[in-house]
Amino acid sequence: MKIDHQKIEKDNVIEEYLLGKLPEDESLLFEEHMLYCADCREKCIKLERIIEAGGELAAERSELHNKKTRTLFLPVFLRVAAVLLIVCSIALLIFRIQQNKTPQNLYASDTVSAGNSNQSAETLVADTVARGPLPERNINPAGNDLLAESFIPSPVFESAVHDLYRSSGIENPVPADSSVVDFMKPVTFSWETRGNGNILFILRTNKGLIVRKEQGKPPLTFAPEKKGLYYWQLIADDEVVHTGRLLVK
Amino acid sequence: MFKRPVSFQMKEADNFDALLKGIRKGDSAIRKAITEHIGIILRTWCKRNKNEITWMMRKGKIETEFSLHTRVTDDLYSVLKDDKSEIKNYKHYQDFIIEKGNQYLADGYASFNKALIGASSLPWQLLEKTMWKYAVKWLADRNIFNREAIRELHYGALEVLFEKIKQQSLQFNQSSELKSYYFKILEFKWKEFIREKGKSHRYTDKIPELFYSTDESGAHPLTDKIREYIKQLEPDEQYILKAYYFFEKKLTEIAEDLELSPENCRVIKHRALRKLYDMIPANYSS
């Protein structure tokens, strides 16, 4: 029998020798080979010390011998399924949050771009009633709002509607409160004033968004481009003097 | 890959005659090669014959396994230097090593046994350290991995061994006999532990102080370095090396533990060894 480097490498002779697994005749041959081969001797010494050091470490921490427990002990396909489930759940959650936004919230989000990011919808509408119009903003006729949402009364404007004529000077506002008009049909807004003060006319959606804003004398005629509940306001000297309600079907 | 300097390469000694010639010329590279070679042979031979405790006294000083090969090398050298030496081939060379090694081990062991009976702390510390590794392995095979439990069983067995040796002046002809005796006691302790599992055993309170090693490692300096290198490896690599070389698990079993294929496991083991080979400095001392 002959021993050469090819055999030593292929049959893992050094390891087998050190672990006492090499047959005796091969052990003797390998030992003789080592006497003349510095490389094999070096590898043998290194591996011998590695085995010894590994043994000492293992003995030091015997508990490491326990079967390795992974933090997530799942087969690959279950791990993939778990990731997909998490992604779907997050997507569903985002969708539900979008759906569950209240009209007030939508209003609030609309007005964020107008510069009042920290105010609630209620405060903003009340502000509008008290101080006058919000910055003008055109409503998108195609609108992404749900139709039903467009008919939800605004509590703030509703209270203003019941305060009709709270300021003197405006008489016979037309259309009358809670008038119902047809979609895309022109509506004529008119009123009478005792004085010659400038009156600002504002037509708002139920969410407070300005649809039309006119400074002029009555009558004013518009055709609302979207179905819904509208509020119209007349403002004199920065004070809301009349708030009317209009239903467009 | 590590390459020896040309002056240390033994190209000239590719047969026994060339080796003898080098020795007689006083070639230091050849002397180093022989010292390394005898070290490997003797250590493997001791392990194969389960002579885990190598103990020698020379000029009143204790020597451990690391000096066994240098002592045999000295003897061999003085014989080989003589032109009329009877060592003519590798077979003679090998017989000489084993014969001398055997003789030194037997002498050393006799003095070790004597020191054990005399309750000297050093041999007991050596015994504690050597047997600890075997106890860990033996108990791991019986599914006991808890370090505290292993400590209790190991020191419990040592305590009994200590009393027996001291009272009966037990003599063992070689360390493998002493080892067998220790394992008989350990087995008894283990059975007792299994039977009374749940009850608290506190053997450690009664262990004589001389069992505790003062020297933390006591291992070869290169082994100490490699322990640090192993700690730098990936967890899977460390696990494979320990499980394969120390606990003698099969690669297929390790692969199951790590949820890997046996082939992957083999590759990781190979990679870990390659890393370690590269980490060991070129001027290591065997």
Side-chain angles (χ1 to χ4, degrees), chain B residues 54-272:
Chain B
T54 54
W55 170 280
M56 282 175 295
M57 299 288 286
R58 186 157 67 170
K59 295 174 189 169
K61 201 179 163 195
I62 298 156
E63 293 179 346
T64 53
E65 59 177 306
F66 307 117
S67 54
L68 173 66
H69 70 282
T70 53
R71 207 160 167 184
V72 174
T73 308
D74 288 347
D75 289 353
L76 180 76
Y77 233 75
S78 59
V79 174
L80 288 179
K81 278 241 175 198
D82 185 357
D83 291 343
K84 292 171 189 168
S85 158
E86 288 183 359
I87 301 173
K88 305 279 185 205
N89 56 33
Y90 180 74
K91 180 81 179 74
H92 296 156
Y93 164 94
Q94 194 191 38
D95 289 347
F96 182 88
I97 293 168
I98 300 299
E99 190 192 329
K100 277 284 170 192
N102 237 338
Q103 186 194 322
Y104 284 132
L105 277 177
D107 292 350
Y109 187 73
S111 61
F112 176 77
N113 208 139
K114 215 171 155 187
L116 278 184
I117 295 168
S120 306
S121 61
L122 210 55
W124 279 102
Q125 284 169 8
L126 178 65
L127 190 68
E128 180 266 316
K129 203 176 284 177
T130 311
M131 288 301 136
W132 167 259
K133 278 203 270 181
Y134 291 97
V136 169
K137 197 169 155 185
W138 191 86
L139 291 168
D141 288 341
R142 284 150 187 83
N143 282 327
I144 294 182
F145 301 105
N146 182 280
R147 195 174 166 80
E148 197 50 44
I150 296 171
R151 268 179 67 87
E152 287 186 8
L153 292 169
H154 172 58
Y155 288 120
L158 277 181
E159 189 197 343
V160 174
L161 186 68
F162 180 74
E163 291 300 322
K164 293 262 179 198
I165 288 181
K166 218 170 92 176
Q167 285 167 11
Q168 301 170 19
S169 294
L170 286 179
Q171 294 273 1
F172 303 97
N173 293 324
Q174 48 186 328
S175 69
S176 57
E177 283 180 21
L178 174 63
K179 193 180 157 193
S180 303
Y181 194 75
Y182 164 85
F183 275 113
K184 272 185 197 163
I185 302 169
L186 186 68
E187 189 174 6
F188 172 77
K189 289 283 172 195
W190 167 68
K191 282 179 181 165
E192 197 179 63
F193 177 82
I194 297 295
R195 206 168 38 241
E196 299 183 24
K197 208 172 178 182
K199 292 187 185 176
S200 64
H201 295 261
R202 304 305 305 178
Y203 299 113
T204 42
D205 295 344
K206 294 180 273 175
I207 297 170
E209 273 187 19
L210 51 85
F211 286 173
Y212 293 109
S213 309
T214 44
D215 172 20
E216 273 299 309
S217 157
H220 190 278
L222 183 60
T223 310
D224 278 346
K225 266 187 189 170
I226 296 174
R227 274 150 58 108
E228 295 308 311
Y229 298 149
I230 291 177
K231 285 178 191 169
Q232 292 169 27
L233 296 177
E234 299 291 322
D236 279 1
E237 293 171 340
Q238 289 190 34
Y239 183 84
I240 290 173
L241 291 185
K242 289 176 201 170
Y244 185 78
Y245 289 125
F246 182 70
F247 292 102
E248 293 175 13
K249 284 182 119 189
K250 289 178 185 165
L251 272 181
T252 46
E253 292 174 281
I254 301 170
E256 265 180 40
D257 289 355
L258 297 177
E259 300 164 42
L260 298 168
S261 71
E263 199 42 53
N264 266 353
C265 213
R266 201 183 313 281
V267 171
I268 293 173
K269 175 177 151 265
H270 185 77
R271 191 178 59 204

Side-chain angles (χ1 to χ4, degrees), chain A residues 177-222:
Chain A
D177 183 29
S178 302
S179 298
V180 179
V181 295
D182 289 335
F183 172 53
M184 296 297 278
K185 291 267 175 72
V187 187
T188 302
F189 296 88
S190 64
W191 60 91
E192 290 172 12
T193 50
R194 274 185 234 158
N196 289 326
N198 266 340
I199 300 291
L200 179 68
F201 168 87
I202 294 176
L203 180 66
R204 294 177 183 276
T205 66
N206 62 335
K207 293 167 195 167
L209 296 175
I210 295 173
V211 180
R212 291 303 284 258
K213 184 178 172 186
E214 291 283 335
Q215 187 103 40
K217 286 189 175 177
L220 301 168
T221 305
F222 308 113

Side-chain angles (χ1 to χ4, degrees), chain A residues 9 12 14-22 24 27-28 30-70 72-74 79, chain B residues 1-4 10 13-16 19 33-34 36-37 40-41 43-44 47-48 66 90 93-94 132-133 136 140 145 147 150 219-220 222-224 226-227 230-231 235-236 239 242 244-247 249 257-259 269 273 276-277 280 284 286:
Chain A
E9 195 70 31
N12 234 353
I14 299 178
E15 188 179 287
E16 300 276 297
Y17 169 76
L18 289 172
L19 297 177
K21 293 177 183 171
L22 203 63
E24 202 171 338
S27 287
L28 293 175
F30 178 63
E31 282 175 353
E32 187 175 359
H33 169 85
M34 267 194 302
L35 182 59
Y36 311 118
C37 178
D39 276 350
C40 285
R41 219 170 39 243
E42 180 195 316
K43 278 183 189 168
C44 193
I45 290 169
K46 283 184 175 178
L47 186 58
E48 188 189 5
R49 295 299 172 200
I50 288 170
I51 292 171
E52 194 183 327
E56 282 182 10
L57 267 184
E60 246 176 45
R61 305 174 187 181
S62 51
E63 66 276 13
L64 287 183
H65 185 55
N66 282 326
K67 193 167 182 176
K68 195 172 179 184
T69 47
R70 299 206 173 234
L72 190 61
F73 186 74
L74 288 173
R79 284 181 214 171
Chain B
M1 183 64 203
F2 165 68
K3 286 276 176 209
R4 276 162 189 265
M10 288 183 50
D14 54 359
N15 59 60
F16 201 76
L19 193 88
I34 289 176
E36 283 181 358
H37 184 247
I40 296 169
I41 289 182
R43 284 192 296 269
T44 315
K47 274 178 211 150
R48 204 179 294 149
F66 307 117
Y90 180 74
Y93 164 94
Q94 194 191 38
W132 167 259
K133 278 203 270 181
V136 169
F145 301 105
R147 195 174 166 80
I150 296 171
H220 190 278
L222 183 60
T223 310
D224 278 346
I226 296 174
R227 274 150 58 108
I230 291 177
K231 285 178 191 169
D236 279 1
Y239 183 84
K242 289 176 201 170
Y244 185 78
Y245 289 125
F246 182 70
F247 292 102
K249 284 182 119 189
D257 289 355
L258 297 177
E259 300 164 42
K269 175 177 151 265
L273 285 179
L276 288 173
Y277 284 148
I280 297 171
Y284 73 90
S286 63

Side-chain angles (χ1 to χ4, degrees), chain A:
Chain A
M1 198 188 298
K2 222 185 140 188
I3 198 150
D4 55 25
H5 284 132
Q6 203 182 347
K7 182 178 166 55
I8 290 168
E9 195 70 31
K10 195 180 136 217
D11 295 348
N12 234 353
V13 167
I14 299 178
E15 188 179 287
E16 300 276 297
Y17 169 76
L18 289 172
L19 297 177
K21 293 177 183 171
L22 203 63
E24 202 171 338
D25 53 341
E26 284 187 45
S27 287
L28 293 175
L29 276 175
F30 178 63
E31 282 175 353
E32 187 175 359
H33 169 85
M34 267 194 302
L35 182 59
Y36 311 118
C37 178
D39 276 350
C40 285
R41 219 170 39 243
E42 180 195 316
K43 278 183 189 168
C44 193
I45 290 169
K46 283 184 175 178
L47 186 58
E48 188 189 5
R49 295 299 172 200
I50 288 170
I51 292 171
E52 194 183 327
E56 282 182 10
L57 267 184
E60 246 176 45
R61 305 174 187 181
S62 51
E63 66 276 13
L64 287 183
H65 185 55
N66 282 326
K67 193 167 182 176
K68 195 172 179 184
T69 47
R70 299 206 173 234
T71 45
L72 190 61
F73 186 74
L74 288 173
V76 174
F77 77 94
L78 275 180
R79 284 181 214 171
V80 173
V83 170
L84 283 176
L85 191 68
I86 292 167
V87 171
C88 290
S89 306
I90 292 169
L92 188 67
L93 192 68
I94 292 168
F95 178 71
R96 290 302 294 267
I97 289 169
Q98 291 288 344
Q99 260 196 337
N100 288 341
K101 270 193 176 176
T102 60
Q104 284 86 352
N105 288 342
L106 280 175
Y107 176 76
S109 66
D110 279 344
T111 51
V112 165
S113 56
N116 296 315
S117 57
N118 292 325
Q119 285 173 286
S120 71
E122 297 287 318
T123 320
L124 279 164
V125 176
D127 239 22
T128 309
V129 174
R131 279 197 253 147
L134 284 167
E136 187 170 5
R137 194 169 157 182
N138 289 326
I139 194 162
N140 177 8
N144 292 325
D145 302 340
L146 294 172
L147 188 61
E149 282 179 1
S150 304
F151 288 96
I152 296 171
S154 158
V156 176
F157 286 118
E158 284 297 313
S159 66
V161 170
H162 297 302
D163 263 351
L164 279 175
Y165 308 113
R166 70 178 173 181
S167 174
S168 58
I170 300 293
E171 288 173 357
N172 303 323
V174 178
D177 183 29
S178 302
S179 298
V180 179
V181 295
D182 289 335
F183 172 53
M184 296 297 278
K185 291 267 175 72
V187 187
T188 302
F189 296 88
S190 64
W191 60 91
E192 290 172 12
T193 50
R194 274 185 234 158
N196 289 326
N198 266 340
I199 300 291
L200 179 68
F201 168 87
I202 294 176
L203 180 66
R204 294 177 183 276
T205 66
N206 62 335
K207 293 167 195 167
L209 296 175
I210 295 173
V211 180
R212 291 303 284 258
K213 184 178 172 186
E214 291 283 335
Q215 187 103 40
K217 286 189 175 177
L220 301 168
T221 305
F222 308 113
E225 293 166 332
K226 202 180 167 192
K227 290 177 184 178
L229 181 63
Y230 290 78
Y231 298 95
W232 61 286
Q233 293 178 309
L234 299 174
I235 296 162
D237 301 328
D238 289 339
E239 192 186 353
V240 179
V241 290
H242 171 76
T243 302
R245 182 167 47 195
L246 180 72
L247 204 62
V248 180
K249 282 190 171 176

